PDB file of all heavy atoms in Angstrom:
ATOM      1  N   SER S  97      -4.599 -12.677  19.141  1.00 96.00           N
ATOM      2  CA  SER S  97      -5.345 -12.053  18.042  1.00 96.00           C
ATOM      3  C   SER S  97      -4.437 -11.166  17.206  1.00 96.00           C
ATOM      4  O   SER S  97      -4.562 -11.127  15.973  1.00 96.00           O
ATOM      5  CB  SER S  97      -6.514 -11.237  18.581  1.00 96.00           C
ATOM      6  OG  SER S  97      -7.487 -12.084  19.133  1.00 96.00           O
ATOM      7  N   THR S  98      -3.528 -10.463  17.871  1.00 97.00           N
ATOM      8  CA  THR S  98      -2.587  -9.613  17.142  1.00 97.00           C
ATOM      9  C   THR S  98      -1.772 -10.452  16.173  1.00 97.00           C
ATOM     10  O   THR S  98      -1.586 -10.081  15.004  1.00 97.00           O
ATOM     11  CB  THR S  98      -1.659  -8.858  18.113  1.00 97.00           C
ATOM     12  OG1 THR S  98      -2.450  -8.100  19.025  1.00 97.00           O
ATOM     13  CG2 THR S  98      -0.721  -7.928  17.363  1.00 97.00           C
ATOM     14  N   THR S  99      -1.295 -11.604  16.631  1.00 97.00           N
ATOM     15  CA  THR S  99      -0.520 -12.504  15.769  1.00 97.00           C
ATOM     16  C   THR S  99      -1.347 -12.952  14.570  1.00 97.00           C
ATOM     17  O   THR S  99      -0.880 -12.894  13.423  1.00 97.00           O
ATOM     18  CB  THR S  99      -0.061 -13.746  16.567  1.00 97.00           C
ATOM     19  OG1 THR S  99       0.728 -13.325  17.678  1.00 97.00           O
ATOM     20  CG2 THR S  99       0.746 -14.694  15.699  1.00 97.00           C
ATOM     21  N   ILE S 100      -2.572 -13.368  14.822  1.00 97.00           N
ATOM     22  CA  ILE S 100      -3.444 -13.844  13.735  1.00 97.00           C
ATOM     23  C   ILE S 100      -3.672 -12.730  12.718  1.00 97.00           C
ATOM     24  O   ILE S 100      -3.562 -12.955  11.500  1.00 97.00           O
ATOM     25  CB  ILE S 100      -4.780 -14.363  14.305  1.00 97.00           C
ATOM     26  CG1 ILE S 100      -4.553 -15.660  15.079  1.00 97.00           C
ATOM     27  CG2 ILE S 100      -5.808 -14.572  13.192  1.00 97.00           C
ATOM     28  CD1 ILE S 100      -5.739 -16.098  15.921  1.00 97.00           C
ATOM     29  N   PHE S 101      -3.964 -11.519  13.188  1.00 97.00           N
ATOM     30  CA  PHE S 101      -4.258 -10.421  12.261  1.00 97.00           C
ATOM     31  C   PHE S 101      -3.012  -9.956  11.503  1.00 97.00           C
ATOM     32  O   PHE S 101      -3.094  -9.614  10.324  1.00 97.00           O
ATOM     33  CB  PHE S 101      -4.925  -9.257  12.998  1.00 97.00           C
ATOM     34  CG  PHE S 101      -6.319  -9.568  13.474  1.00 97.00           C
ATOM     35  CD1 PHE S 101      -6.694  -9.311  14.776  1.00 97.00           C
ATOM     36  CD2 PHE S 101      -7.255 -10.136  12.622  1.00 97.00           C
ATOM     37  CE1 PHE S 101      -7.974  -9.597  15.224  1.00 97.00           C
ATOM     38  CE2 PHE S 101      -8.538 -10.432  13.053  1.00 97.00           C
ATOM     39  CZ  PHE S 101      -8.902 -10.164  14.348  1.00 97.00           C
ATOM     40  N   LEU S 102      -1.856  -9.944  12.165  1.00 97.00           N
ATOM     41  CA  LEU S 102      -0.622  -9.560  11.457  1.00 97.00           C
ATOM     42  C   LEU S 102      -0.268 -10.586  10.381  1.00 97.00           C
ATOM     43  O   LEU S 102       0.106 -10.210   9.257  1.00 97.00           O
ATOM     44  CB  LEU S 102       0.537  -9.398  12.443  1.00 97.00           C
ATOM     45  CG  LEU S 102       0.505  -8.167  13.338  1.00 97.00           C
ATOM     46  CD1 LEU S 102       1.656  -8.202  14.340  1.00 97.00           C
ATOM     47  CD2 LEU S 102       0.562  -6.879  12.513  1.00 97.00           C
ATOM     48  N   LEU S 103      -0.378 -11.864  10.704  1.00 98.00           N
ATOM     49  CA  LEU S 103      -0.088 -12.905   9.710  1.00 98.00           C
ATOM     50  C   LEU S 103      -1.120 -12.891   8.580  1.00 98.00           C
ATOM     51  O   LEU S 103      -0.777 -13.140   7.415  1.00 98.00           O
ATOM     52  CB  LEU S 103      -0.019 -14.275  10.377  1.00 98.00           C
ATOM     53  CG  LEU S 103       1.168 -14.478  11.334  1.00 98.00           C
ATOM     54  CD1 LEU S 103       1.083 -15.836  12.025  1.00 98.00           C
ATOM     55  CD2 LEU S 103       2.495 -14.315  10.614  1.00 98.00           C
ATOM     56  N   SER S 104      -2.365 -12.568   8.903  1.00 98.00           N
ATOM     57  CA  SER S 104      -3.401 -12.431   7.864  1.00 98.00           C
ATOM     58  C   SER S 104      -3.072 -11.269   6.934  1.00 98.00           C
ATOM     59  O   SER S 104      -3.254 -11.374   5.708  1.00 98.00           O
ATOM     60  CB  SER S 104      -4.778 -12.212   8.497  1.00 98.00           C
ATOM     61  OG  SER S 104      -5.144 -13.309   9.285  1.00 98.00           O
ATOM     62  N   THR S 105      -2.580 -10.170   7.506  1.00 97.00           N
ATOM     63  CA  THR S 105      -2.186  -9.023   6.688  1.00 97.00           C
ATOM     64  C   THR S 105      -1.058  -9.417   5.741  1.00 97.00           C
ATOM     65  O   THR S 105      -1.077  -9.065   4.556  1.00 97.00           O
ATOM     66  CB  THR S 105      -1.742  -7.843   7.586  1.00 97.00           C
ATOM     67  OG1 THR S 105      -2.793  -7.528   8.496  1.00 97.00           O
ATOM     68  CG2 THR S 105      -1.416  -6.619   6.754  1.00 97.00           C
ATOM     69  N   LEU S 106      -0.089 -10.161   6.252  1.00 97.00           N
ATOM     70  CA  LEU S 106       1.019 -10.612   5.413  1.00 97.00           C
ATOM     71  C   LEU S 106       0.511 -11.507   4.284  1.00 97.00           C
ATOM     72  O   LEU S 106       0.900 -11.332   3.122  1.00 97.00           O
ATOM     73  CB  LEU S 106       2.054 -11.359   6.262  1.00 97.00           C
ATOM     74  CG  LEU S 106       3.268 -11.908   5.516  1.00 97.00           C
ATOM     75  CD1 LEU S 106       4.078 -10.786   4.884  1.00 97.00           C
ATOM     76  CD2 LEU S 106       4.138 -12.729   6.463  1.00 97.00           C
ATOM     77  N   ALA S 107      -0.363 -12.448   4.597  1.00 98.00           N
ATOM     78  CA  ALA S 107      -0.903 -13.354   3.574  1.00 98.00           C
ATOM     79  C   ALA S 107      -1.676 -12.580   2.508  1.00 98.00           C
ATOM     80  O   ALA S 107      -1.521 -12.825   1.304  1.00 98.00           O
ATOM     81  CB  ALA S 107      -1.790 -14.408   4.227  1.00 98.00           C
ATOM     82  N   LEU S 108      -2.499 -11.623   2.940  1.00 97.00           N
ATOM     83  CA  LEU S 108      -3.269 -10.824   1.983  1.00 97.00           C
ATOM     84  C   LEU S 108      -2.361  -9.924   1.144  1.00 97.00           C
ATOM     85  O   LEU S 108      -2.605  -9.704  -0.043  1.00 97.00           O
ATOM     86  CB  LEU S 108      -4.324  -9.990   2.714  1.00 97.00           C
ATOM     87  CG  LEU S 108      -5.516 -10.770   3.257  1.00 97.00           C
ATOM     88  CD1 LEU S 108      -6.340  -9.905   4.210  1.00 97.00           C
ATOM     89  CD2 LEU S 108      -6.380 -11.289   2.115  1.00 97.00           C
TER      90      LEU S 108
END
Side-chain angles (χ1 to χ4, degrees):
S97 292
T98 303
T99 301
I100 290 168
F101 291 130
L102 287 175
L103 292 176
S104 298
T105 304
L106 179 62
L108 287 168

